[in-house]
Every structure is written in C-alpha cells, then in structure tokens.
Amino acid sequence: MSRVYNFSAGPAVLPEEVLREAAEEMMDYKGSGMSVMEMSHRSKVYDGIIKEAEADLRDLMNIPDNYKVLFLQGGASQQFAMIPMNLMKNKKAAYIVTGQWAKKAFQEAQNYGEAIKVASSEDETFSYIPDCSDLAIPEDADYVYICENNTIYGTKYKTLPNTKGHTLVADVSSCFLSEPVDVSKYGIIYGGVQKNIGPAGVVIVIIREDLITEDTLPGTPTMLKYKTHADADSLYNTPPAYGIYVCGKVFKWLKKMGGLGVMKERNEEKAKLLYDFLDESKMFKGTVRKEDRSLMNVPFVTGDKDLDAKFVKEAEAAGFVNLKGHRTVGGMRASIYNAMPKEGVEKLVAFMKKFEEEN
Ligand SMILES: *Cc1c(COP(=O)(O)O)cnc(C)c1O
C-alpha cells in the first residue's frame, strides 16, 4: 500500500486512522455480522451510530441546546435553495459575494425572492474579503448570507460581518471543524462534509430552533423543509447512513486529537509553513490579500502558465497530488485540511524549494 499526499480541495484527504478503522469494521460492525452499509437505518445499532455522531459533534463545537443538528443529502449546493425556501419570510435576503460558491447561492436565492448583493470582491477575482463592518442591509432582510471560507480563492473571514441584528447564515464547507466557532452567532451553519469531515453525500446543517417552522415558501417539497428532518432527527427517510458513520469516526478522531482549539493551532502551523515560503520565494506567489488568507486552501502561482503546469506534473510524480488550481484562478492550490499531516506540508515546501532552485 502506498498513500500519496493528497492536496485535493474535495473530496479530500481523511485521517488514515479513520480509514483503517472503517476497513476493519467493513465485514462485521461490532458483532452485528454486517457492514454499516448493509444495515437498516431504523436498527438499534444504527441509531447508536447517528446519536453518538451528533453527541460528539455537539461536544466538539459546543453547540447550544437551542440548535438542531441535521444530517442531510443534496450536498452544500442543495442548501442554496433550501435556505431561501425556509427562511425568506419577507422574500428578501442580503448576500455577500466572495467567490463562486457564494455567487451560486446568491443566484439561486433569486428564484425565491429578492436577493440583494450587499458586498462583493469579484472586482479583484475574489482575492480578498470586503469590509463588512457597515453594510447597507435592508431592515426587513430575512438573513445575511456568507461563504465563510472560499475554497476556490483561498480567502476566509477573520471577523464575521456586522449583520445589524439579522440572522447570519454561513456556508462553512471548507473550514468545518478547522477551528473553534461560536455557534450562537449564527442562525445556520452548514457544510458539505467532503472537504474537511467525511465522504461526499452528507451535508450537516446546524440550525437555531426558531428558524425551523411550517411557514416555508409555498410549494416547498417535504424533503426540503428543515422541519421535516428536525422532527424526525434526520431519519425522515434513509439518510446517507455510511457517510454519517464515517463522519462520526472523524469526530472521535478530532476529540482524541484534543478538539478544535488544538486543530486550530495545528492548522495555523501548517499554513504558516506554506505562506512563509510563498512570501520569501522569488518564483511562487500567493494570490490572496494577506489578512484574508485561508488556513485550509492555499492558492499560488508562478506567473508563468507553462512553469505552473511543469510544477504540477513534477509534483504529482513525486507523490504530491491534486495541486492544480481551479480553472478560474489558474496556477496551483494546496488544500491542507485537518487530515493533512504537518509532514505533508513540510515535504511539499521542500519540494517547492528544490523546484525553484532547478528552474
Ligand atoms: C465544495 C463546496 C460547495 C459545493 O458542495 P457540493 O456538496 O458539491 O454541493 C459549496 N460551498 C463551498 C464553500 C464548497 O467548498
């Protein structure tokens, strides 16, 4: 067996320990005589798995009792519609557009009401986070929407926007569980798990209870009402059962590592290795305003397309894979999620140094 250093933005690297445990339990989950994949989601054994996953997540994130945790399907993208369908009582919402995912959410919301772009960083290819301290948020806006970590562009909010008392809704797909958060500042925190938590197919929605109502937009399908899933503890229909089981294992791994405070320190250390090198390199440059740099996704360029391509190719041959940047940014992107060991980043930096010397 040989594993590469996988810098994919998602689906992405998972802790080896978790994969090994899942492999060990594949044929016979704890004496049940079957794989979790083969198990009824109504069984007692599975009930234990999903309840424990939720309890561990609550513990990790310190989720207050007046928030529900939902394990849903449809990816993060389905939330782009589900959020306005459930929250747009006044048919008005404010969107801060800091990248492609925020833009898609903004565009989707226009199908359901008046989505107002109150700030954007599109003028400079989303390379920064706009000043959100005093935005023109309409009084009757139902919520303010952000994408907290911009996976493609490598920016992250270091302070949350001043929502002027409005409900904050955040897509945290690519920074989920990368550092401690104060859940009480949000109405909804949600994310697809395939970036930093588990296998694709699960989206976790943490939602304040008062936002869960029958009063959704007319025509909202049963499956797209938060209430449907909240009332049934995420078991209204068959959930992405195996995916949730793996997420549960990652929660346990994070707890064993010391929790989100420790993860933040580790992530800061890893990101610093890479950013410090980018700042001193003559060949490689980061593409993001320094204050807004993400700890998770690090885009960089050489300024020469052919040299970028050469780097990606040689890196892959050396065991550093998925470093090609997103097509809208070009260059390279190293995603260094929780499960990327520090050693992976150290070795990547050493490889970049060597490449710079030789080219
Ligand atoms: C990947 C990603 C998405 C899209 O996720 P899907 O699960 O594929 O719909 C949305 N938002 C962010 C921030 C992402 O990184």
Side-chain angles (χ1 to χ4, degrees):
M1 186 195 73
S2 101
R3 303 237 330 141
V4 292
Y5 288 114
N6 180 6
F7 294 92
S8 170
V13 57
L14 288 171
E16 269 186 32
E17 217 177 294
V18 166
L19 297 176
R20 237 180 258 120
E21 247 184 61
E24 276 161 23
E25 292 171 351
M26 182 59 75
M27 302 304 283
D28 176 6
Y29 176 76
K30 294 190 176 163
S32 66
M34 61 180 89
S35 165
V36 174
M37 252 185 253
E38 305 171 295
M39 203 173 267
S40 166
H41 60 293
R42 308 279 175 209
S43 65
K44 214 172 165 178
V45 181
Y46 192 75
D47 198 57
I49 291 173
I50 193 169
K51 291 254 162 65
E52 199 165 323
E54 177 177 340
D56 284 334
L57 181 63
R58 284 186 174 278
D59 202 20
L60 274 170
M61 291 182 75
N62 242 319
I63 300 175
D65 289 343
N66 63 326
Y67 284 73
K68 283 270 187 196
V69 174
L70 309 177
F71 296 99
L72 308 178
Q73 307 190 49
S77 299
Q78 183 157 284
Q79 294 304 309
F80 299 170
M82 208 161 157
I83 288 158
M85 285 174 138
N86 284 269
L87 262 55
M88 262 193 179
K89 319 281 180 199
N90 296 329
K91 295 208 159 215
K92 199 179 281 186
Y95 278 73
I96 303 174
V97 179
T98 53
Q100 185 178 296
W101 297 118
K103 193 174 177 178
K104 283 193 169 162
F106 166 64
Q107 286 166 341
E108 185 71 14
Q110 288 166 13
N111 293 326
Y112 304 101
E114 196 185 340
I116 299 158
K117 195 195 292 178
V118 291
S120 167
S121 54
E122 194 163 12
D123 58 341
E124 290 180 37
T125 330
F126 300 120
S127 59
Y128 69 103
I129 298 289
D131 177 4
C132 298
S133 58
D134 185 20
L135 299 173
I137 298 163
E139 200 61 44
D140 58 345
D142 292 301
Y143 58 88
V144 176
Y145 183 99
I146 62 168
C147 177
E148 195 161 330
N149 183 79
N150 296 281
T151 324
I152 295 172
Y153 302 95
T155 59
K156 160 117 201 309
Y157 286 80
K158 299 295 157 77
T159 49
L160 292 174
N162 175 4
T163 65
K164 303 187 171 170
H166 294 83
T167 295
L168 180 64
V169 174
D171 174 357
V172 297
S173 295
S174 51
C175 60
F176 226 154
L177 305 182
S178 63
E179 57 182 85
V181 292
D182 181 353
V183 174
S184 70
K185 289 186 173 155
Y186 304 77
I188 294 180
I189 306 184
Y190 80 93
V193 304
Q194 73 272 24
K195 308 291 161 67
N196 206 18
I197 302 181
V202 185
V203 56
I204 298 175
V205 177
I206 302 163
I207 178 170
R208 212 175 56 222
E209 271 169 0
D210 62 282
L211 299 172
I212 305 170
T213 65
E214 281 288 6
D215 177 26
T216 56
L217 296 188
T220 299
T222 307
M223 276 293 287
L224 298 188
K225 294 178 181 172
Y226 289 124
K227 191 161 194 323
T228 303
H229 300 286
D231 286 352
D233 293 328
S234 301
L235 292 169
Y236 170 73
N237 69 328
T238 319
Y242 193 80
I244 294 168
Y245 153 78
V246 178
C247 290
K249 289 207 174 297
V250 173
F251 301 153
K252 289 254 185 272
W253 177 77
L254 288 167
K255 286 177 83 169
K256 211 171 92 185
M257 296 291 287
L260 301 190
V262 172
M263 291 319 291
K264 181 178 192 220
E265 281 170 29
R266 282 170 49 102
N267 289 327
E268 280 172 346
E269 261 179 59
K270 286 187 305 185
K272 188 174 184 316
L273 287 171
L274 199 43
Y275 285 124
D276 281 354
F277 172 66
L278 291 173
D279 289 343
E280 74 189 32
S281 166
K282 298 224 157 42
M283 177 182 281
F284 298 102
K285 294 265 164 300
T287 57
V288 167
R289 186 164 77 184
K290 281 189 188 174
E291 310 90 272
D292 303 326
R293 284 170 163 175
S294 165
L295 293 181
M296 299 281 101
N297 311 98
V298 183
F300 54 96
V301 294
T302 65
D304 173 344
K305 280 203 173 80
D306 295 335
L307 197 56
D308 286 350
K310 185 168 189 253
F311 174 78
V312 170
K313 196 167 160 229
E314 289 184 14
E316 183 166 337
F320 307 101
V321 310
N322 289 319
L323 281 166
K324 194 172 186 306
H326 191 267
R327 59 187 185 280
T328 58
V329 184
M332 282 70 70
R333 171 179 47 174
S335 294
I336 49 175
Y337 296 119
N338 282 342
M340 173 59 65
K342 185 175 169 192
E343 179 199 79
V345 182
E346 283 167 347
K347 287 189 175 165
L348 174 65
V349 169
F351 179 80
M352 290 167 77
K353 279 188 181 149
K354 189 163 153 278
F355 185 88
E356 181 166 352
E357 278 160 23
E358 293 170 357
N359 286 275

